[in-house]
């Protein structure tokens, strides 16, 4: 190595630590609304992910401690733990986690080489394989009747390990599900009749706070310069524009307002934590803009016309596959060159 | 106030310049031995014109230019040549260079100095010749011979002369101290440059805002002249040639071009100073200002050091503490490179020797995988995609490296600086460039061999054709006449021998032979021109610079052909 060691002081570990810290507001909001299931998910995921990572690194003959210390496995685990529905059986968590770490990350060559976001691969796998368990979201705390609480710590552990049935009345539809199955009602009517909307402050009860939490964490990372604004902002803008375009004045054909889309489901978490995963996203500035816009459009399309009420995972995975091509076409003009040289060029003849 | 254009990318590392600016430029003691490399410039190494044991005087020519883009080498002090052999050199490649070692006698006896009373009486070629004789080469690090820079052949006239006084690299203050203390001489140097270009060019000094004292000194020195001093914001690498030209003129130097192609000369402030010393004082380039800094030095300051001074000598002068020394760096903390030993000498392009202590530069953390965060792309002054380049460099994919414009990397190391995974990206790029060059050399050798073979085949085919045509013509001329053949004069063997002896005696080729040779030459050149034209047509989709080079090749071939034809007509008529 010839280059001297003068460095800016930023490091991969440091970045990962900031990302972990920034998930706190969103995670706390989730815990407040959905109870002990959330921290249990996060803990299970973390243990499982670290174990999988250590095992895979060992099998690949890489220094385990050195690579574990970059905290990337922990970041994946926490994203996954926050994305999975609370109180989902432990084996669903384990399968999701091992898919994330072993298949989506280590089999491709570890950190930096995975084409797709590992957390989203794990999430999509279990969403496709275990739709029943994965569609079982709890009713947010805000909507629970007086005197009824989310299951306590021991009961939660019991439910996760033993897999017992949830008490009726705690499970409930998410705002996206409610709006999807509104069957010909006008938006105003849905908002008037459904408690998840009429008891909400501005979007969907419970979920609005969760999204606000992730937004706060995201803004912190933005301020710390962990990622640039391009991809998240473009995703939120394109999602809003799509919602506005199909708003249809709140008629029975409407798919919900921009505000509703921004603060429902995994919008904010996706925009600030999953989209900004540098490994699997586009890297040039223009590439990031295109990548973000593409995800916004896909999220809205799948939410509105697809089978899944929220499909951020699918939108992101599709865009992940597109990212290298986007980068290829969105490369900046090199200084001193008159025209861009991008796109696929024919092999030079020898 | 002139407009300033903002260059892409860039970083803002701590400047760390104050340490070495508190003391004025010092003259270190004469070292006992000077080691002067013959290779301190862009082109081929010089040829030594002295012998071991020979006495030399200060300023005497000891290495003559050998090939294009060379710069002469002079004895930095008087003494005896004790060795001419390869020695470790402070070069990026780490390869040793052929050096002339001089044991100094301490007398500092000068050779004759061709002082000039008034350079305005001298013509531009005379001045350029003076600069060439003085062995001046770009002292900002490039080592491009200044005489070659000042006389670009066949290019547009120089409209702008830019004096690069930015010195954006952290720790380095050699130029800044020079400007603070010798601003007048720098301005005189610029006047000489202006005179060479007929006093028509716009003169601009580009200097970073962060050097108020140097700025004030320059302002005071050039108060009466038409020079513009343009302050540019502090940013690394604002002092890169391409970056500075863009910042001051808004012109992007096309990839692969030299500044003269767009009518600009960009010249470092230390080089300008050397020009003044060469022209007005008659001193060849035998010393330069070099910063010796870093926490391991007891005194951090600038030295007017003789070329060939072992850096060990300067470090001892600065009281470097070897126990605290972390690494030894030639250049600044960002784009400099580690030195293999402290035996290497100061050369024309050494502007800084950095001896940081252990606390200053933490040991390089281990390299992690690239997470494609894109910070490198944000800071790249050439708007490259460094992480893609890294990927292709690791895979040794030369085609992709070229496609991603690796050649446009100026190796400023801004990407190294920001990389959170501590990847020494530029090291990978340098290796990639070396591999590409090697592969291209192999390819071009093969292409040349093939071309020669093709020419030969073409020539033989043409000769065959012409011969058969001649035969046919003779036959058709012979057949209808039907006349009895004239008796062929039979030559006796003695005659033949005499004729052969005659031929051998007159070594000069006959007129016919010369004509034939010229004809052959012309047909070869015709073939070459045709091929070049075909290649140009085929390359119509290629980037402009490649087209330009092909166009130049066609033009060259055409000119050669014209010359050959001219010679032929001269021969035929004379």
């Amino acid at each position: 190595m010839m280059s001297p060691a003068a460095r800016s002081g930023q490091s991969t570990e440091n970045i990962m630590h900031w990302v972990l810290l920034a998930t706190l507001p969103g995670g706390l909001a989730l815990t407040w609304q959905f109870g002990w299931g959330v921290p249990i998910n996060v803990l299970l995921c973390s243990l499982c992910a670290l174990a999988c990572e250590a095992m895979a690194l060992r099998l690949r003959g890489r220094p385990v401690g050195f690579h574990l210390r970059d905290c990337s496995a922990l970041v994946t685990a926490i994203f996954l733990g926050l994305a999975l529905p609370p109180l989902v059986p432990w084996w669903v968590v384990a399968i999701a986690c091992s898919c994330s770490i072993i298949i989506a990350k280590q089999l491709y060559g570890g950190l930096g080489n995975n084409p797709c976001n590992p957390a989203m691969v794990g999430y999509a796998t279990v969403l496709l394989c275990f739709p029943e368990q994965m569609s079982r979201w709890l009713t947010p705390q805000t909507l629970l009747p007086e005197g009824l609480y989310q299951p306590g710590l021991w009961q939660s552990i019991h439910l996760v390990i033993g897999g017992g049935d949830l008490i009726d009345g705690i499970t409930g539809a998410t705002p996206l599900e409610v709006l999807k199955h509104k069957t010909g009602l006008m938006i105003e009517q849905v908002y008037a009749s459904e408690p998840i909307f009429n008891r909400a402050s501005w979007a969907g009860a419970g979920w609005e706070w969760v999204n606000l939490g992730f937004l706060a964490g995201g803004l912190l990372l933005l301020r710390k310069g962990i990622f640039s604004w391009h991809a998240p902002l473009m995703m939120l803008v394109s999602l809003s524009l799509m919602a506005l375009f199909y708003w249809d004045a709140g008629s029975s054909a409407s798919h919900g307002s921009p505000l509703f889309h921004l603060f429902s489901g995994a919008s904010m978490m996706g925009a600030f934590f999953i989209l900004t995963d540098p490994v699997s996203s586009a890297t040039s500035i223009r590439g990031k803009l295109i990548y973000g816009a593409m995800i916004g459009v896909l999220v809205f399309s799948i939410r509105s016309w697809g089978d899944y009420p929220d499909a951020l995972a699918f939108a992101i995975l599709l865009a992940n596959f597109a990212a290298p091509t986007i980068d290829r076409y969105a490369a900046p003009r090199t200084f001193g060159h008159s025209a861009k040289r991008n796109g696929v060029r024919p092999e030079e003849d020898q | 106030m002139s407009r300033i254009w903002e260059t892409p990318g860039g970083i803002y590392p701590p400047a760390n310049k104050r340490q070495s600016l508190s003391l004025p430029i010092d003259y270190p003691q004469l070292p006992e031995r000077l080691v002067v490399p013959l290779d301190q410039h862009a082109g081929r190494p010089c040829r030594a014109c002295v012998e071991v044991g020979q006495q030399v005087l200060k300023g005497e020519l000891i290495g003559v230019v050998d090939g294009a883009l060379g710069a002469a080498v002079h004895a930095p002090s008087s003494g005896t040549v004790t060795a001419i052999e390869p020695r470790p050199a402070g070069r990026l490649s780490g390869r040793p260079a052929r050096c002339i070692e001089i044991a100094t006698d301490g007398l500092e006896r000068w050779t004759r100095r061709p002082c000039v009373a008034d350079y305005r009486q001298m013509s531009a070629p005379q001045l350029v010749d003076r600069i060439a004789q003085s062995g001046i080469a770009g002292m900002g690090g490039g080592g491009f011979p200044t005489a070659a820079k000042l006389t670009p052949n066949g290019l547009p006239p120089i409209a702008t002369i830019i004096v690069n006084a930015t010195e954006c690299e952290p720790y380095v203050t050699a130029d800044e101290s020079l400007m603070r203390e010798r601003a007048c001489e720098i301005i005189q140097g610029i006047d000489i440059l202006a005179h060479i270009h007929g006093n028509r060019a716009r003169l601009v000094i580009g200097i970073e805002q962060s050097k108020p004292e140097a700025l004030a000194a320059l302002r005071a020195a050039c108060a009466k002249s038409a020079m513009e001093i343009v302050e540019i914001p502090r940013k690394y690498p604002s002092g890169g040639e391409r970056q500075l030209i863009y910042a001051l003129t808004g012109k992007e130097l096309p990839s692969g071009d030299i500044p003269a192609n767009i009518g600009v000369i960009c010249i470092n402030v230390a080089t300008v100073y050397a020009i003044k010393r060469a022209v007005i004082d008659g001193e060849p380039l035998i010393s330069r200002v070099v910063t010796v800094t870093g926490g391991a030095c007891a005194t951090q300051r600038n030295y007017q050091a003789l070329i060939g001074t072992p850096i060990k000598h300067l470090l001892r002068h600065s009281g470097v503490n070897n126990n605290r020394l972390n690494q030894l760096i030639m250049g600044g903390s960002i784009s400099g490179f580690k030195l293999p030993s402290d035996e290497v000498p100061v050369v024309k392009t050494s502007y800084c020797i950095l001896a940081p202590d252990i606390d200053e530069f933490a040991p390089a953390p281990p390299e992690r995988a690239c997470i494609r965060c894109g910070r490198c792309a944000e800071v790249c002054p050439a708007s490259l995609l460094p992480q893609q380049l890294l990927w292709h460099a690791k895979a040794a994919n030369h085609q992709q490296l070229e496609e991603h414009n690796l050649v446009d990397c100026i190796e400023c190391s801004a990407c190294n600086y920001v990389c959170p995974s501590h990847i020494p990206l530029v090291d990978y790029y340098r290796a990639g460039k070396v591999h590409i060059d090697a592969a291209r050399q192999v390819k071009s050798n093969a292409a040349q061999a093939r071309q020669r073979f093709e020419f030969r085949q073409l020539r033989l085919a043409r000769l065959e054709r012409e011969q058969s045509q001649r035969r046919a013509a003779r036959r058709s001329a012979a057949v209808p006449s039907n006349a009895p053949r004239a008796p062929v004069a039979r030559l006796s063997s003695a005659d033949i021998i005499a004729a052969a002896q005659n031929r051998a005696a007159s070594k000069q080729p006959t007129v016919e032979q010369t004509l034939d040779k010229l004809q052959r030459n012309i047909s070869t050149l015709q073939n070459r021109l045709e091929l070049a034209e075909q290649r140009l047509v085929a390359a119509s989709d290629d980037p402009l610079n490649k087209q330009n080079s092909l166009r130049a090749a066609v033009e060259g071939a055409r000119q050669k052909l014209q010359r050959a034809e001219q010679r032929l007509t001269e021969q035929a008529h004379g």
Side-chain angles (χ1 to χ4, degrees):
Chain A
M1 197 163 90
M2 292 304 294
S3 305
R7 296 281 180 182
S8 58
Q10 189 65 275
S11 70
T12 307
E13 302 94 301
N14 206 329
I15 292 176
M16 298 293 177
H17 292 160
W18 274 108
V19 173
L20 290 178
L21 188 73
T23 55
L24 264 182
L28 288 177
L30 268 174
T31 312
W32 165 44
Q33 288 295 331
F34 300 101
W36 284 105
V38 178
I40 292 174
N41 268 355
V42 170
L43 191 71
L44 266 182
C45 271
S46 304
L47 292 176
C48 187
L50 289 176
C52 287
E53 178 106 333
M55 189 187 74
L57 285 169
R58 203 183 171 111
L59 287 175
R60 290 177 58 218
R62 303 296 152 113
V64 177
F66 174 70
H67 286 293
L68 276 186
R69 243 172 290 139
D70 67 26
C71 289
S72 60
L74 210 55
V75 167
T76 300
I78 286 174
F79 288 169
L80 194 57
L82 295 176
L84 291 171
L87 302 183
V88 75
W90 65 271
W91 45 270
V92 173
V93 180
I95 290 173
C97 230
S98 42
C99 276
S100 289
I101 299 295
I102 297 175
I103 295 177
K105 185 176 168 194
Q106 290 293 340
L107 284 190
Y108 282 98
L111 179 64
N113 297 306
N114 44 307
C116 296
N117 183 295
M120 290 301 105
V121 172
Y123 184 84
T125 310
V126 289
L127 185 62
L128 293 172
C129 296
F130 314 109
E132 195 209 322
Q133 285 82 357
M134 288 296 289
S135 57
R136 208 167 55 183
W137 269 91
L138 305 181
T139 307
Q141 183 64 42
T142 320
L143 295 188
L144 284 181
E146 200 74 34
L148 193 56
Y149 293 100
Q150 305 285 14
L153 179 57
W154 287 115
Q155 200 189 350
S156 298
I157 294 173
H158 184 72
L159 283 167
V160 171
I161 308 286
D165 280 338
L166 288 172
I167 316 143
D168 231 20
I170 340 187
T171 54
T174 65
L176 284 165
E177 284 168 338
V178 170
L179 205 75
K180 193 166 183 65
H181 305 296
K182 66 183 157 62
T183 54
L185 293 175
M186 306 243 290
I187 295 287
E188 223 171 295
Q189 291 167 317
V190 179
Y191 269 55
S193 61
E194 289 289 342
I196 201 155
F197 290 118
N198 60 28
R199 288 176 61 186
S201 306
W202 68 91
W207 287 93
E208 56 198 13
W209 297 109
V210 171
N211 274 286
L212 197 68
F214 283 118
L215 173 65
L219 291 178
L220 169 74
L221 292 184
L222 204 56
R223 205 182 142 63
K224 294 302 291 183
I226 303 294
F227 51 72
S228 71
W229 54 267
H230 304 85
L233 187 77
M234 274 312 277
M235 182 233 164
L236 297 177
V237 165
S238 75
L239 180 63
S240 313
L241 285 180
M242 285 294 281
L244 200 64
F245 191 73
Y246 289 99
W247 166 234
D248 203 17
S251 75
S252 57
S254 174
H255 294 288
S257 70
L259 195 66
F260 163 77
H261 276 284
L262 288 180
F263 284 91
S264 293
S267 296
M268 289 299 171
M269 180 180 173
F272 288 103
F273 290 89
I274 311 291
L275 220 72
T276 51
D277 164 26
V279 178
S280 55
S281 80
T283 55
S284 56
I285 299 282
R286 251 183 313 167
K288 282 178 188 165
L289 293 175
I290 298 169
Y291 177 81
M294 180 178 170
I295 291 177
V297 171
L298 281 173
V299 165
F300 184 83
S301 306
I302 301 175
R303 275 182 184 176
S304 304
W305 304 295
D307 276 344
Y308 291 90
D310 192 7
L312 195 103
F314 296 123
I316 288 193
L317 289 176
L318 283 170
N320 283 166
F321 285 121
T325 314
I326 293 175
D327 264 342
R328 181 129 197 165
Y329 282 90
R333 180 181 67 83
T334 307
F335 192 76
H337 283 256
S338 51
K340 280 189 295 155
R341 292 180 67 180
N342 52 23
V344 183
R345 290 169 60 85
E347 290 273 319
E348 232 175 80
D349 55 313
Q350 294 297 307
Chain B
M1 188 69 200
S2 309
R3 186 181 158 192
I4 296 164
W5 282 262
E6 206 196 331
T7 51
I11 52 173
Y12 305 89
N16 278 312
K17 289 182 187 255
R18 207 163 292 160
Q19 302 94 306
S20 52
L21 280 170
S22 56
L23 297 166
I25 299 174
D26 186 24
Y27 291 81
Q29 264 178 354
L30 184 67
E32 280 172 19
R33 278 167 200 281
L34 293 164
V35 181
V36 187
L38 287 163
D39 179 11
Q40 305 183 36
H41 46 260
R44 287 187 47 192
C46 286
R47 190 160 39 79
C49 60
V50 287
E51 282 162 10
V52 176
Q54 190 176 328
Q55 295 282 325
V56 289
L57 295 173
K58 189 177 176 111
E60 190 179 325
L61 185 70
I62 55 173
V64 291
V65 174
D66 189 18
L69 298 186
V73 177
H74 301 80
S77 183
S78 58
T80 317
V81 176
T82 48
I84 303 175
E85 60 189 18
R87 290 284 176 90
R91 294 198 292 194
L92 190 57
S93 65
R95 279 203 299 268
R98 214 171 151 70
C99 297
I100 297 177
E101 190 191 60
I102 297 171
T104 55
D105 56 14
L107 301 174
E108 298 270 43
R109 284 173 298 150
W110 269 96
T111 181
R112 198 186 63 83
R113 272 174 281 185
C115 301
V116 177
D118 185 7
Y119 68 85
R120 289 183 187 81
Q121 304 300 324
M122 291 170 76
S123 68
Q126 278 175 326
L127 284 168
V128 171
D129 186 53
R130 188 85 277 284
I131 290 166
Q133 301 280 320
S134 306
I136 299 176
M139 291 163 80
F144 192 86
T146 305
K149 186 179 264 191
L150 296 179
T151 49
N153 288 322
L155 292 171
I158 299 303
T160 314
I161 297 175
I162 293 175
V163 177
N164 188 346
T166 45
E167 200 170 49
C168 53
E169 173 101 29
Y171 286 97
V172 187
T173 57
D175 290 352
E176 191 172 351
S177 59
L178 199 63
M179 287 185 277
R180 284 182 180 195
E181 297 179 30
R182 300 172 196 172
C184 286
E185 289 181 87
I186 291 169
I187 299 299
Q188 279 177 303
I190 301 173
D191 282 335
I192 295 172
L193 282 179
H195 178 70
I196 291 176
H197 291 96
N199 291 317
R200 281 185 301 269
R202 175 186 169 211
L203 302 173
V204 197
I205 304 176
I207 179 168
E208 277 192 340
Q209 280 164 347
S210 52
K211 302 178 175 48
E213 290 89 349
L215 203 59
L218 284 179
R219 283 242 161 84
C222 73
K224 289 192 290 289
S225 71
M227 250 163 258
E228 289 168 56
I229 297 181
V230 181
E231 293 173 51
I232 52 176
R234 188 179 98 82
K235 170 159 111 175
Y236 178 88
S238 59
E241 187 172 69
R242 289 165 179 276
Q243 283 64 40
L244 186 62
I245 291 173
Y246 182 73
L248 296 179
T249 67
K251 287 183 193 168
E252 263 184 53
L253 185 54
S255 171
D257 276 3
I258 57 166
N261 286 34
I262 54 169
V264 175
I265 281 180
C266 185
I267 195 157
N268 175 266
V269 67
T271 317
V272 173
Y273 175 75
I275 289 175
K276 184 264 161 185
R277 302 291 292 186
V279 171
I280 296 181
D281 306 300
E283 281 177 21
L285 178 53
I286 53 167
S287 75
R288 67 156 300 146
V289 178
V290 51
T291 310
V292 178
T293 182
C297 301
T299 43
Q300 306 185 32
R301 70 188 307 170
N302 284 282
Y303 293 105
Q304 180 81 41
L306 292 177
I307 304 292
T309 306
I311 63 165
K312 190 169 59 176
H313 183 78
L314 293 180
L315 290 174
R316 202 183 309 130
H317 236 265
S318 299
V320 76
N321 180 349
N322 279 316
N323 299 327
R324 304 276 306 153
L325 186 63
N326 170 353
Q327 53 192 337
L328 214 46
I329 294 164
M330 182 69 109
S333 61
I334 310 283
S335 74
F337 54 92
K338 288 183 196 168
L339 282 176
S341 81
D342 58 1
E343 298 286 342
V344 307
V346 169
V347 293
K348 293 173 186 172
T349 53
S350 338
Y351 43 82
C352 180
I353 293 149
L354 181 54
D357 73 4
I358 304 152
D359 306 330
E360 215 165 355
F361 282 8
E367 183 182 334
R368 285 189 182 276
C370 167
I371 54 166
R372 302 181 4 113
C373 64
R375 281 172 173 71
C376 47
E378 279 165 35
V379 301
C380 180
S383 303
L384 296 167
L385 290 175
Q387 84 277 38
Q388 310 286 90
L389 283 171
L390 174 72
W391 184 268
H392 296 308
K394 279 185 166 174
N397 188 341
H398 294 171
Q399 198 197 331
Q400 279 297 323
L401 282 177
E402 287 183 57
E403 213 127 284
H404 284 86
N405 299 323
L406 178 63
V407 288
D408 291 295
C409 170
I410 59 166
E411 300 179 17
C412 68
S413 299
C415 49
N416 284 5
Y417 182 75
V418 295
C419 180
S421 296
H422 312 300
I423 304 171
L425 292 120
V426 173
D427 289 355
Y428 285 100
Y429 304 154
R430 284 176 184 145
K433 282 181 180 175
V434 170
H435 289 155
I436 287 178
D437 278 351
R440 190 173 291 149
Q441 192 60 46
V442 168
K443 209 170 156 183
S444 98
N445 286 352
Q448 218 168 17
R450 192 180 61 192
Q451 208 177 24
R452 274 199 219 111
F453 176 74
E454 281 171 0
F455 284 153
R456 185 166 180 276
Q457 295 294 91
L458 280 172
R459 187 165 54 80
L460 289 179
R462 192 177 54 80
L463 283 178
E464 180 86 7
R465 203 169 53 235
E466 285 172 4
Q467 208 169 17
S468 65
Q469 275 169 359
R470 274 202 298 275
R471 268 199 214 112
R474 267 208 301 273
R475 213 173 298 134
S476 60
V479 170
S481 75
N482 260 346
R485 264 190 208 173
V488 178
R490 290 215 157 223
L491 293 170
S492 71
S493 57
D495 286 343
I496 294 171
I497 290 166
Q501 278 170 340
N502 273 347
R503 271 205 305 279
S506 65
K507 284 262 171 85
Q508 289 292 322
T510 63
V511 177
E512 285 75 31
Q513 275 170 341
T514 320
L515 284 180
D516 193 43
K517 198 173 156 198
L518 283 172
Q519 280 283 6
R520 246 192 350 249
N521 197 359
I522 285 178
S523 74
T524 313
L525 285 170
Q526 270 168 345
N527 289 335
R528 198 174 292 172
L529 178 61
E530 245 169 62
L531 258 174
E533 277 170 346
Q534 279 168 12
R535 221 170 270 157
L536 178 61
V537 172
S540 58
D541 295 333
D542 280 16
L544 222 56
N545 54 343
K546 192 172 174 189
Q547 280 193 36
N548 279 338
S549 69
L550 285 173
R551 207 162 285 140
V554 169
E555 196 45 48
R558 190 169 290 145
Q559 279 171 7
K560 269 187 189 163
L561 183 60
Q562 271 172 6
R563 277 201 296 276
E565 279 170 349
Q566 208 177 342
R567 268 207 302 279
L568 180 67
T569 44
E570 277 167 17
Q571 275 288 337
H573 296 295

